[in-house]
Amino acid sequence: MKKKILWVLFGFFSIIIGLYPLKYFLINGKVGIMNDKPEWLLNNLVWYIAFYIHIIFGGVALLVGWLQFSSKLRSRNIKVHRLTGKIYVVSALFSSLSGFYIALFSDGGFWASLGFSCLGIIWFCTTLIAYLTVRKQQIGKHQLLMIYSYAACFAAVTLRIWLPILILVIGIYDTSYIIVAWLSWIPNLLVAYLITTKLTQKTIPKKSAKFLGNGLSTKFYPNFSKTLKK
């Protein structure tokens, strides 16, 4: 029951925050972080384009990415699974690259910029390598890396959970923002590590572990959503 609730919350937050960028198109004037940016940056065409690429493709990645972990979707319609997977990969690559650029101009100075830049690099690399491995039929490695990729993507959700809490506790926005630049994604990757470790131990015999990544662990990934729901 508890894991079913976690699965529902997982999908709920992915959808809600995935739709979050719509407010930048539905509300006139400065919205969200635009209110805190200096005019010279808002007038920078490269930053402006990168920002909208980041939020649009990031929203799409959140909206479709969580569906990749549904075993029912894969078993009932593998074509939809592959299509949404391709949409996620393209969206994640565009959003992470543009996110790396706009991170250079983050509020909070060097340490906040460094934190978000690291997130962009990790998201890009895990997504790209996950795509390359599935092209080589290395299913096991692909599955592991996609979990890490979406953990990085999910930082968009955890940032919006942690930031108001930090502001409430600390009382200083800049300090809170520097902390959340790291707190929004490091715990996510730790959770991804725990999930992949647990799934590997439960579904792959130790003697067969060496075959992981050679396309032989076909029963590994489908247990993800079941593990959450049990």
Side-chain angles (χ1 to χ4, degrees):
M1 182 63 182
K2 184 186 295 185
K3 290 181 179 178
K4 286 184 179 180
I5 294 174
L6 288 175
W7 176 254
V8 171
L9 289 174
F10 177 58
F12 173 78
F13 282 114
S14 297
I15 294 171
I16 292 299
I17 303 303
L19 295 173
Y20 181 81
L22 286 176
K23 77 174 189 176
Y24 287 91
F25 300 94
L26 299 177
I27 302 176
N28 294 324
K30 293 182 179 180
V31 181
I33 66 169
M34 293 287 200
N35 291 307
D36 301 318
K37 299 300 181 183
E39 287 298 325
W40 67 265
L41 187 59
L42 294 175
N43 292 326
N44 184 318
L45 183 61
V46 177
W47 182 90
Y48 194 81
I49 293 174
F51 174 76
Y52 275 94
I53 289 175
H54 176 64
I55 64 171
I56 292 171
F57 284 101
V60 173
L62 269 175
L63 284 171
V64 303
W66 75 283
L67 294 172
Q68 294 302 101
F69 302 107
S70 171
S71 58
K72 289 184 179 180
L73 177 64
R74 282 190 304 279
S75 60
R76 294 177 181 177
N77 200 326
I78 189 64
K79 290 183 179 180
V80 173
H81 170 73
R82 289 171 178 168
L83 176 61
T84 55
K86 291 176 182 178
I87 293 172
Y88 172 78
V89 168
V90 172
S91 299
L93 292 178
F94 273 105
S95 186
S96 58
L97 274 177
S98 55
F100 174 82
Y101 175 77
I102 65 174
L104 302 177
F105 304 91
S106 293
D107 298 334
F110 172 78
W111 290 109
S113 293
L114 181 61
F116 287 124
S117 295
C118 289
L119 170 60
I121 293 171
I122 291 170
W123 190 18
F124 179 85
C125 291
T126 53
T127 304
L128 179 61
I129 299 172
Y131 172 73
L132 294 176
T133 53
V134 79
R135 294 283 295 178
K136 296 177 182 178
Q137 297 299 311
Q138 296 175 332
I139 306 302
K141 288 182 180 179
H142 166 74
Q143 294 159 351
L144 288 169
L145 286 162
M146 284 302 290
I147 292 175
Y148 280 102
S149 172
Y150 199 73
C153 179
F154 205 70
V157 174
T158 47
L159 181 148
R160 287 164 177 81
I161 294 174
W162 281 115
L163 186 57
I165 295 174
L166 290 170
I167 293 174
L168 183 64
V169 173
I170 299 174
I172 303 173
Y173 174 80
D174 286 345
T175 303
S176 301
Y177 201 73
I178 292 172
I179 295 173
V180 85
W182 301 89
L183 190 61
S184 62
W185 58 272
I186 291 178
N188 294 14
L189 295 185
L190 291 175
V191 171
Y193 171 77
L194 293 175
I195 290 174
T196 54
T197 300
K198 183 176 181 180
L199 290 175
T200 302
Q201 291 174 345
K202 289 181 69 173
T203 60
I204 302 176
K206 291 183 179 180
K207 291 183 180 180
S208 301
K210 63 181 180 180
F211 295 113
L212 183 62
N214 292 329
L216 300 179
S217 56
T218 55
K219 294 183 179 180
F220 168 62
Y221 198 43
N223 290 324
F224 177 81
S225 59
K226 292 180 182 177
T227 301
L228 288 178
K229 292 177 181 178
K230 286 181 180 178

